[in-house]
Amino acid sequence: MKTLIIGGSGKIGQKLIAHLSKEKSDFRVMVRTQAQLESLKSQGVDAVLGDLEGDISEAFNGCERIVFTAGSGSKTTPHKTLLVDLWGSIRAIEEAEKQGVKHFIMISSLKSDRPLDGPEKIRHYLVARNLADDRLIRSSLPYTLLRPGRLLDEPATGKVSNKFDWADATNTTSVITRDDVVAIIAQVISLPEYLERNSIIDVINGDISIDKFLSMATIEEAVA
């Protein structure tokens, strides 16, 4: 099953590309610029041009799974958050529906289901994620909605949990390494049972191995 990675130039996307390349997985990366395209192709990676603010249909051709890890970034304006994190997500979901994608993995954010409980400075982003996540849940697609805590550039721990403190308004303790997020995504891709169910997974670093955690992950029924 070929996987399309949307957001390959981001930190999680780059780490996921490296991981899947090492595992010799069948995947493609959608990128915005010719320079990004040429760089990936020089590494032997299947890459195609596509822009979440433009045409994306060609990138989806022949792909049965989507990993959406794109984002406008913390240094952009709320305007870009609307165009990329919200509208870009929705456009990708709708294109996946059109093309009969079998599994959509969305990388969202902890507390996106309750944006006003998140850090004040990113509440506009959490609102955008909330609406995009809701569109995925209401779609016809089998999905995994992964909602990690604040992301850290530290070595993987291999240990996670879904027990976090809602009162931690700045997400001081609700954190997870990007490497651990990538490990979770890679395992979800490799586990056939995730193709047959809809899952919403809140995750931070903790004391449970990723293997065990995914076997215990809460299964959510899609909203009719």
Side-chain angles (χ1 to χ4, degrees):
M1 181 179 291
K2 195 176 192 72
T3 298
L4 173 65
I5 300 172
I6 301 176
S9 62
K11 290 184 178 181
I12 287 178
Q14 290 179 47
K15 289 176 178 291
L16 182 60
I17 290 167
H19 185 101
L20 295 181
S21 294
K22 185 177 180 180
E23 297 295 318
K24 301 189 183 303
S25 297
D26 187 13
F27 70 96
R28 174 186 299 155
V29 184
M30 189 179 88
V31 294
R32 285 191 308 111
T33 70
Q34 188 67 31
Q36 292 169 334
L37 182 76
E38 292 172 1
S39 175
L40 286 171
K41 286 192 170 183
S42 71
Q43 300 169 50
V45 174
D46 179 8
V48 64
L49 288 174
D51 190 340
L52 289 170
E53 297 179 51
D55 183 29
I56 57 174
S57 59
E58 182 182 346
F60 282 67
N61 291 342
C63 293
E64 297 179 283
R65 181 189 288 110
I66 309 298
V67 176
F68 190 99
T69 183
S72 58
S74 60
K75 296 180 181 180
T76 58
T77 65
H79 170 75
K80 273 294 183 186
T81 301
L82 286 176
L83 285 174
V84 177
D85 300 87
L86 174 54
W87 193 237
S89 295
I90 291 173
R91 292 185 71 237
I93 292 164
E94 292 178 347
E95 187 63 38
E97 287 182 306
K98 288 178 186 176
Q99 299 210 24
V101 165
K102 294 181 179 179
H103 188 203
F104 197 110
I105 303 172
M106 176 74 80
I107 314 306
S108 182
S109 178
L110 196 69
K111 301 182 181 178
S112 64
D113 52 335
R114 288 164 55 177
L116 295 183
D117 289 320
E120 184 174 359
K121 67 181 181 179
I122 65 165
R123 284 178 187 169
H124 67 288
Y125 163 73
L126 294 176
V127 169
R129 285 261 44 97
N130 178 285
L131 295 171
D133 295 352
D134 182 67
R135 177 64 182 86
L136 178 61
I137 291 168
R138 293 178 181 277
S139 75
S140 60
L141 300 167
Y143 65 84
T144 299
L145 178 56
L146 184 62
R147 302 192 296 213
R150 183 166 58 86
L151 299 169
L152 302 178
D153 288 317
E154 296 180 4
T157 69
K159 303 283 187 177
V160 294
S161 171
N162 62 359
K163 306 300 183 185
F164 62 94
D165 183 5
W166 278 106
D168 178 19
T170 59
N171 282 358
T172 302
T173 58
S174 303
V175 299
I176 184 169
T177 73
R178 285 183 170 85
D179 284 337
D180 284 316
V181 172
V182 167
I184 292 170
I185 298 168
Q187 286 211 35
V188 168
I189 288 174
S190 70
L191 294 170
E193 57 265 35
Y194 271 84
L195 288 172
E196 301 171 0
R197 68 194 199 190
N198 297 324
S199 305
I200 299 177
I201 306 173
D202 293 325
V203 64
I204 62 172
N205 280 132
D207 57 2
I208 305 170
S209 71
I210 290 174
D211 285 346
K212 184 176 181 181
F213 176 79
L214 287 177
S215 71
M216 298 165 51
T218 301
I219 302 171
E220 299 285 349
E221 293 298 328
V223 177

